[in-house]
Amino acid sequence: MRVLVTGAAGFIGFHVAQRLLQRGDTVVGLDSLNDYYDPKLKLMRLSLISGHPNFSFQKVDIADQATMAQLFEQEMPEAVVHLAAQAGVRYSLTNPMAYVDANLVGFMNVLEGCRSGKVQHLVYASSSSVYGLNRKQPFSEHDNVDHPVSLYAATKKANELLAHSYSHLFNIPTSGLRFFTVYGPWGRPDMAYFIFAKAILEATPINLFNYGRARRDFTYIDDVVDAVVRVLDCPPVENLCWSGYELDPATSSAPYQVFNVGNNQPVELVRFVDVLESSLGRRTDRNLLPPQPGDVVETYADIDALRKAVDFRPTTTIEEGLSKFAEWYLWYSNTSNTTADANNYINER
């Protein structure tokens, strides 16, 4: 296929683009390369795929309506994997308009591009954050998610609603993926595990909110990419059994579906840090702090629907995943962080 991957220089987007290229797809990568975190890391990721003959890159802000419309007209993708977004729960407390621009206006531009370009399948990133105040565990796509506790979560819920309206009105197959705390090599520096690793190596105390008892369904990047590609290859169709009298938020009479993408094994933050310290071969002190505004106490993914639909089975344990991340992070934190360094690192493996 010819696939447009937005956020191609981002953590998940880079890995997805790499996997699609490896299997023979043509990939058009899009990214604004903004400075939410160090653009050097984004450029290093791009360097690992930019030389592939089936890859091209466009530096574009998805909130730019005219440029996005032109891009869809010129590139004519058959499918879209939309991963570009303004991420982060706490950042949304101080920079709300960034989420409106990227996650709402930007998403609308993607939907309009899919509509005008007759795209065969749109796969887009949602988030486990949409579960908000839900307390029934594990979180199921079939449950109502109308009580988000952060603006970030609200924009992701809005994406699902906008996608459904376009699936219903214009028969565009859309698949929303609620990612559960993705981690691994080439990750985002604003993520907790990245911050923890830096603190451990520098022997500075780690802040553990909710007194370290918060639980997260940490999901390794390779398992996440496997889910994305499997879903991409299986566009949804109308659910002929769907009823407006017994509403199921995960499916519809339109070609629309929503899936959890998680490991189905939540881990307490205290244990997560224990394993990370063991992987890095060092320890540091911990500050046990109360919960922060917008934080969810626990995430735990019910992945039965994804297993039934595409035979998704995550295989990476927290010990295996953090060992791979630690190996990469030790290399990353001890290099000059150039694109040549990135290529050398990959070639050596």
Side-chain angles (χ1 to χ4, degrees), residues 88-90 92-93 129 132 147-156 293-295:
V89 169
R90 291 173 194 151
S92 69
L93 300 177
S129 297
H147 296 86
V149 294
S150 70
L151 175 62
Y152 169 69
T155 62
K156 288 300 184 178
D295 281 355

Side-chain angles (χ1 to χ4, degrees), residues 32 51-52 56 63 93 134 195 204 223 232 236 267 279 306 311 319 346:
S32 67
H52 197 286
S56 60
L93 300 177
N134 288 27
I195 296 169
T204 57
D223 292 327
L232 179 65
V267 175
S279 298
L306 190 56
D311 197 30
E319 290 80 9
I346 293 297

